[in-house]
């Protein structure tokens, strides 16, 4: 039975309705797509982002914070959003399983901690955007209320808060994840890249950071010996010369070819580059393929092998 890790992009959750009901409804649509993997008999671990949810929850806490009701630190907020998104997604998957006549299948959500190096240079260079966009005036007001926050302009779309984004070196619950998958449980794990923890005097301590979910997805896929890492995003293919007249969509591509495109600065740092780097890491560490494609392309992916497939240099053509 083929084992896959499926990393959901932000478009799987984002909606014009930011309420809990609106986001849960968006995940019902996502679950309809994901159920195709289950019907094909795959063992599935689903990971997801949580940037907007973390940012919004932090704002809610700051607005209502007091000595009697203090705001929670970022690692705790990360675990809170793991829980809420895990709840919505598990409920949506259960609904679709029942509709598909697969109601015997089990779904579980596991709170996941991701170990990072306390000396990772990322802690000195916050770069991971979380939360909504702000105008210049809104950013100035928020900065005055939250002097420890770092706000940066993001691609001409406004200002966002950025936090440290260290690379994962281990996933503490990886053995539990593998055990549940062995039992054919459909698992939601690694939400938001996992709750970042560092090791201090032999103990694990939460850290004020957000880990890129694509890198944590790769680490989970590697540790549980997944046959493939599938990163779902807003486009059906990775492309070079993106948005230009000579844009070229990539199908099967080797690690070496992809690294050359990285050297040519073909991929945006805040969007496609982390996905490409995570895909390369998985292929290099396991020899198995990584696939980057769109959420709505799942059926085509299963039937026709569409999307961008990253393969090792020894597999320079489709098997």
């Amino acid at each position: 039975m083929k084992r896959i890790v499926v990393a959901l992009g932000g478009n799987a959750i984002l909606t014009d309705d930011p309420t809990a009901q609106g986001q849960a409804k968006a995940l019902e649509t996502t679950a309809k797509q994901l159920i195709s993997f289950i019907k094909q008999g795959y063992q599935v671990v689903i990971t997801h982002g949580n940037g907007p949810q973390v940012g919004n929850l932090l704002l809610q806490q700051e607005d209502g914070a007091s000595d009697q009701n203090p705001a929670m630190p970022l690692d705790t907020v990360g675990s809170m959003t793991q829980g809420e998104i895990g709840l919505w997604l598990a409920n949506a998957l259960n609904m679709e399983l029942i509709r598909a006549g697969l109601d015997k299948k089990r779904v579980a959500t596991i709170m996941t901690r991701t170990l990072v190096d306390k000396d990772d240079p990322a802690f000195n260079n916050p770069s991971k955007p979380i939360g909504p966009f702000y105008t210049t005036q809104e950013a100035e007001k928020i900065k005055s209320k939250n002097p420890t926050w770092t706000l940066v302009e993001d691609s001409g779309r406004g200002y966002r808060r950025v936090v440290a984004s260290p690379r994962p070196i281990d996933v503490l619950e990886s053995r539990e994840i593998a055990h549940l998958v062995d039992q054919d449980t459909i698992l939601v794990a690694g939400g938001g890249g996992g709750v970042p923890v560092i090791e201090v005097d032999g103990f694990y301590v939460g850290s004020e950071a957000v880990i890129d979910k694509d890198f944590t997805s790769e680490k989970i896929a590697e540790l549980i010996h997944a046959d493939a890492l599938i990163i779902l995003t807003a486009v059906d293919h990775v492309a070079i010369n993106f948005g230009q007249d000579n844009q070229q969509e990539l199908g099967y591509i080797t690690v070496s070819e992809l690294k050359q495109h990285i050297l040519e600065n073909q991929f945006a740092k805040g969007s496609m580059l982390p996905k490409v780097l995570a895909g390369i890491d998985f292929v290099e560490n396991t020899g198995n393929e990584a696939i980057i494609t769109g959420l709505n392309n799942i059926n085509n992916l299963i039937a026709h092998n569409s999307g961008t497939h990253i393969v090792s240099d020894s597999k320079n053509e489709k098997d």
Side-chain angles (χ1 to χ4, degrees), residues 203-282:
F203 299 97
Y204 298 119
V205 179
S207 176
E208 286 279 305
V210 171
I211 305 169
D212 191 291
K213 69 103 175 49
D214 294 314
F215 292 129
T216 298
S217 300
E218 185 283 324
K219 184 59 66 176
I220 290 173
E222 177 188 338
L223 291 171
I224 70 170
H225 307 293
D227 297 295
L229 169 64
I230 301 175
I231 300 176
L232 299 179
T233 185
V235 294
D236 289 344
H237 295 82
V238 179
I240 57 175
N241 305 316
F242 183 75
Q244 302 175 38
D245 292 339
N246 60 340
Q247 176 176 317
Q248 178 184 344
E249 295 180 339
L250 304 177
Y252 277 75
I253 185 167
T254 66
V255 166
S256 292
E257 292 169 331
L258 206 49
K259 285 183 176 179
Q260 181 59 42
H261 291 316
I262 292 173
L263 291 175
E264 297 165 355
N265 295 316
Q266 286 285 354
F267 310 119
K269 291 183 178 180
S271 57
M272 188 55 73
L273 182 59
K275 296 170 176 55
V276 169
L277 291 173
I280 288 174
D281 285 349
F282 180 72

Side-chain angles (χ1 to χ4, degrees), residues 48 50 113-116 128 163-170 190-197 209-216:
H48 60 81
N50 67 347
R113 295 169 295 168
T114 304
L115 182 65
V116 300
K128 181 68 175 176
V163 297
S165 185
R167 284 289 196 105
I169 57 178
D170 197 7
V195 176
V197 296
V210 171
I211 305 169
D212 191 291
K213 69 103 175 49
D214 294 314
F215 292 129
T216 298

Side-chain angles (χ1 to χ4, degrees), residues 43-248:
Q43 292 181 332
V44 180
V45 176
I46 302 165
T47 65
H48 60 81
N50 67 347
Q53 291 77 18
V54 164
N56 290 338
L57 186 52
L58 286 171
L59 282 177
Q60 293 169 20
Q61 290 194 137
E62 289 294 332
D63 288 342
S66 65
D67 291 341
Q68 290 73 35
N69 184 32
M72 294 293 104
L74 188 55
D75 60 311
T76 302
V77 171
S79 67
M80 293 163 71
T81 55
Q82 273 194 30
E84 68 177 2
I85 298 172
L87 168 67
W88 300 332
L89 186 50
N91 283 346
L93 287 166
N94 278 132
M95 184 184 305
E96 291 306 314
L97 288 169
I98 292 170
R99 287 172 175 167
L102 298 170
D103 50 296
K104 301 298 184 183
K105 288 278 189 179
R106 305 292 295 177
V107 180
T109 298
I110 183 167
M111 195 282 294
T112 310
R113 295 169 295 168
T114 304
L115 182 65
V116 300
D117 186 347
K118 66 179 183 299
D119 296 320
D120 191 306
F123 285 109
N124 297 320
N125 182 32
S127 62
K128 181 68 175 176
I130 60 173
F133 290 94
Y134 306 108
T135 64
T136 301
Q137 293 76 18
E138 289 172 333
E140 290 174 352
K141 182 178 179 181
I142 290 170
K143 183 66 175 176
S144 66
K145 291 177 62 178
N146 304 279
T148 61
W149 286 21
T150 301
L151 298 172
V152 300
E153 199 278 329
D154 187 350
S155 306
R157 295 176 292 179
Y159 287 82
R160 295 183 79 182
R161 183 187 179 191
V162 292
V163 297
S165 185
R167 284 289 196 105
I169 57 178
D170 197 7
V171 176
L172 300 188
E173 285 74 26
S174 61
R175 284 183 293 181
E176 288 73 23
I177 292 170
H179 175 73
L180 286 168
V181 175
D182 285 339
Q183 308 307 309
D184 206 23
T185 301
I186 302 161
L187 200 62
V188 181
V195 176
V197 296
I198 58 175
E199 190 171 349
V200 179
D201 298 328
F203 299 97
Y204 298 119
V205 179
S207 176
E208 286 279 305
V210 171
I211 305 169
D212 191 291
K213 69 103 175 49
D214 294 314
F215 292 129
T216 298
S217 300
E218 185 283 324
K219 184 59 66 176
I220 290 173
E222 177 188 338
L223 291 171
I224 70 170
H225 307 293
D227 297 295
L229 169 64
I230 301 175
I231 300 176
L232 299 179
T233 185
V235 294
D236 289 344
H237 295 82
V238 179
I240 57 175
N241 305 316
F242 183 75
Q244 302 175 38
D245 292 339
N246 60 340
Q247 176 176 317
Q248 178 184 344

Side-chain angles (χ1 to χ4, degrees), residues 9-27 29-30 52-53 56 88:
N11 62 315
I13 308 173
L14 292 180
T15 173
D16 293 335
D17 181 356
T19 65
Q21 293 81 2
Q23 294 180 80
K25 192 69 176 177
L27 281 169
T29 301
T30 297
Q53 291 77 18
N56 290 338
W88 300 332

